[in-house]
Every structure is written in C-alpha cells, then in structure tokens.
Amino acid sequence: MATKVVSRDHGRRRTAVLSHLALSVASLVALFPIVWLVFISLGPDKDDYLHPDRIWSKLSFSNYAFVTEHTKFFTWLGNTALIAGLTCVIGVMFAATTGYAVSRMRFPGYKKLMWVLLVTQMFPIAVLIVPMYQILGDLGLIDTYGGLILVYCSTAVPYCAWMLKGYFDSIPIEIDEAGRVDGLTPFGTFFRLILPLARPGLAVAAFYTCLTAWGEVAFASTFMLDDGKYTLAVGLFSFVSQHDAQWNYMAATAVLIAIPVSAVFYLVQKHLVTGMTAGATKG
C-alpha cells in the first residue's frame, strides 16, 4: 500500500512539473514577440531591426520622443479613445438589451434573430467594406466618427449579444419575477436588478468591444480620409510608404498603443475571468 501511495505521489509531482514546464514554454512563446518589439523600439535607426545585436550599445528612447513630439500621435490617441469609448457604451447597451430580450422573452422570431446575428459574423471584412462604404456614403457618414462607430457596433454587437444571452441565462428567472411582484417594469427589472448581477459579463463585452475599435485597421483606413481623424492603428501605417518603412518608429508607436489596453486589462481582469467562466459553464 505504501509503495502505491509513493508511486502515486511521484506521478503527481511529475505531472505537475511537466505542466509547469509546458506553461512556462507557452508563456515564453507568447511573450517573445512583445519583448522583441520593445527591444526593437529602443534602436534609434530604422535599420536596427536587421542588426539587433548592435542595439545594445545604443539603447535610446529617441523613437518615442519623435513619435510623441513630431507626429499626430496624441490626436490619433484622442480619436481612438473617443471612438472606442462610444463604441463600447453604445455596443454594450444594444448587446445587453438584445441578449436579455432573447434570454427572457419569447416573441415571434426570437430564435431566428439570434441566428441572423450569428450569420453576420461569418462574412470576412473584405466582403463587407464595399457595401458598408456605399451605405455610409448614402448616409453622408464617410470620414465621420459616427460612421466608424456605427460600423464597429455592427461587428461587435452580434458576438456580444450571443455572449450576454448566455450570461443572462445563468441568472435565476426568479429575480425577474421578484421585480415584477415589487411593481417594477421590465425595463426597471433589467436596469435595477439584472444589470448589477451581470457586471462580469458586461465587463467582458465592454472589453471586447473596446478592443475591437482600438486596434481595427481595415474599416478605419477606408472610411477615415482626413489624417486628423485617423485612429492609432491607421496612424501606425503612416510610417510605411511605397519605397520605405520606418520600423523603429512603428515599433515605438505599437508599444505606446498597447500600453492603455494593457492597463485597462489589468484593471478589469477579475471581472473578465469571472464573466468568461460563468458564460462557459452555464446557460
């Protein structure tokens, strides 16, 4: 019996060691591109990425100084923050009301509605750009923040509605019934009782929606024509021309773009983990 116990403990330790080793390797693989990008951004010359061994002797923050002082970086940052913030608020609002309606109400076509939302996610961006450009042109929304926010909401809301529907399914329906007994309207029940309980799910939806708008390139580069209205992701490509590419400035800009998103992720990570696990195990 003692031999079996020792053998079992040895097997568990070996499994734990192998698991930690595998996770360590996976972490290194995931972190290497980020570390490499930061390292390249510290090379003052645009060709330093071809000779990374030479960067050690001339580490400098000159690329960051150039990006912040001699480009429209802060204008791009303000544009991106505005667009991402409004996309987040509007997108989560529509996704939450849609997900709650489908979760709690049985109206004609509610199943078809969710399938339609799912089908919209199957089209690649390249297929959507031309018809969306035509629609925005007819509405006079080309080169406007409102047009880009509308486009981002149309891509983020379907996924978030599906996700929040699953989260609302995990909230007991007795809470809705208690709200009606207390005299609350359906909207009152939703806003006063359900939304506070769904904060983890809303955090996941908000982060996804914000991230979608923060780093998107194809729509922004097509629909925004004035460089004063560029987002960060589009401004990043201003360092690339037909015959030249300033990789050092691109690397520095990419690092600066990632900092706000990383900070937001750090602040809401607890809600993100709770929201994702609850949506995956219930509903």
Side-chain angles (χ1 to χ4, degrees), residues 8-164:
R8 188 180 305 159
D9 291 340
H10 178 71
R12 290 177 179 175
R13 285 197 297 269
R14 184 173 59 183
T15 301
V17 170
L18 292 176
S19 298
H20 282 82
L21 180 61
L23 290 174
S24 299
V25 173
S27 299
L28 290 175
V29 171
L31 289 174
F32 177 76
I34 300 174
V35 175
W36 184 256
L37 182 68
V38 174
F39 180 64
I40 293 299
S41 71
L42 298 176
D45 300 324
K46 66 178 182 180
D47 295 325
D48 280 340
Y49 74 98
L50 296 174
H51 309 283
D53 55 304
R54 300 178 184 176
I55 296 179
W56 290 109
S57 60
K58 51 181 179 180
L59 291 176
S60 170
F61 289 97
S62 60
N63 295 327
Y64 294 94
F66 178 87
V67 169
T68 55
E69 295 175 5
H70 300 287
T71 69
K72 295 183 178 180
F73 175 81
F74 290 106
T75 299
W76 302 336
L77 177 63
N79 296 339
T80 305
L82 174 65
I83 293 171
L86 291 178
T87 301
C88 178
V89 172
I90 298 172
V92 171
M93 180 182 67
F94 278 102
T97 52
T98 302
Y100 178 74
V102 176
S103 174
R104 293 295 196 264
M105 304 173 187
R106 294 297 176 262
F107 51 89
Y110 77 96
K111 289 185 178 180
K112 294 181 179 178
L113 172 62
M114 296 306 291
W115 280 110
V116 168
L117 293 178
L118 182 62
V119 169
T120 61
Q121 301 294 290
M122 300 180 182
F123 296 97
I125 292 179
V127 175
L128 297 175
I129 285 181
V130 174
M132 282 189 172
Y133 191 93
Q134 182 66 44
I135 293 172
L136 293 181
D138 293 340
L139 296 175
L141 295 177
I142 296 294
D143 199 27
T144 64
Y145 297 134
L148 195 57
I149 292 170
L150 181 63
V151 170
Y152 288 158
C153 286
S154 69
T155 58
V157 167
Y159 171 79
C160 292
W162 264 98
M163 181 184 63
L164 289 175

Side-chain angles (χ1 to χ4, degrees), residues 3 13 33 40 54 98 132 144 149 151 153 160 173 177-178 187 200 208 216 221 237 242 266 271:
T3 304
R13 285 197 297 269
I40 293 299
R54 300 178 184 176
T98 302
M132 282 189 172
T144 64
I149 292 170
V151 170
C153 286
C160 292
I173 197 172
E177 296 172 351
F187 279 103
Y208 171 80
E216 199 278 330
S221 60
F237 285 92
Q242 185 176 359
Y266 177 78
H271 291 297

Side-chain angles (χ1 to χ4, degrees), residues 223-243:
F223 302 143
M224 306 304 281
L225 308 178
D226 183 0
D227 62 353
K229 296 181 179 179
Y230 281 174
T231 61
L232 285 170
V234 180
L236 180 66
F237 285 92
S238 64
F239 299 113
V240 179
S241 64
Q242 185 176 359
H243 304 289

Side-chain angles (χ1 to χ4, degrees), residues 169-204:
D169 286 343
S170 69
I171 299 176
I173 197 172
E174 288 78 12
I175 294 178
D176 300 68
E177 296 172 351
R180 287 196 292 270
V181 170
D182 291 340
L184 292 176
T185 64
F187 279 103
T189 301
F190 174 65
F191 284 107
R192 298 181 62 179
L193 300 180
I194 303 301
L195 283 186
L197 296 174
R199 281 181 295 181
L202 295 174
V204 176

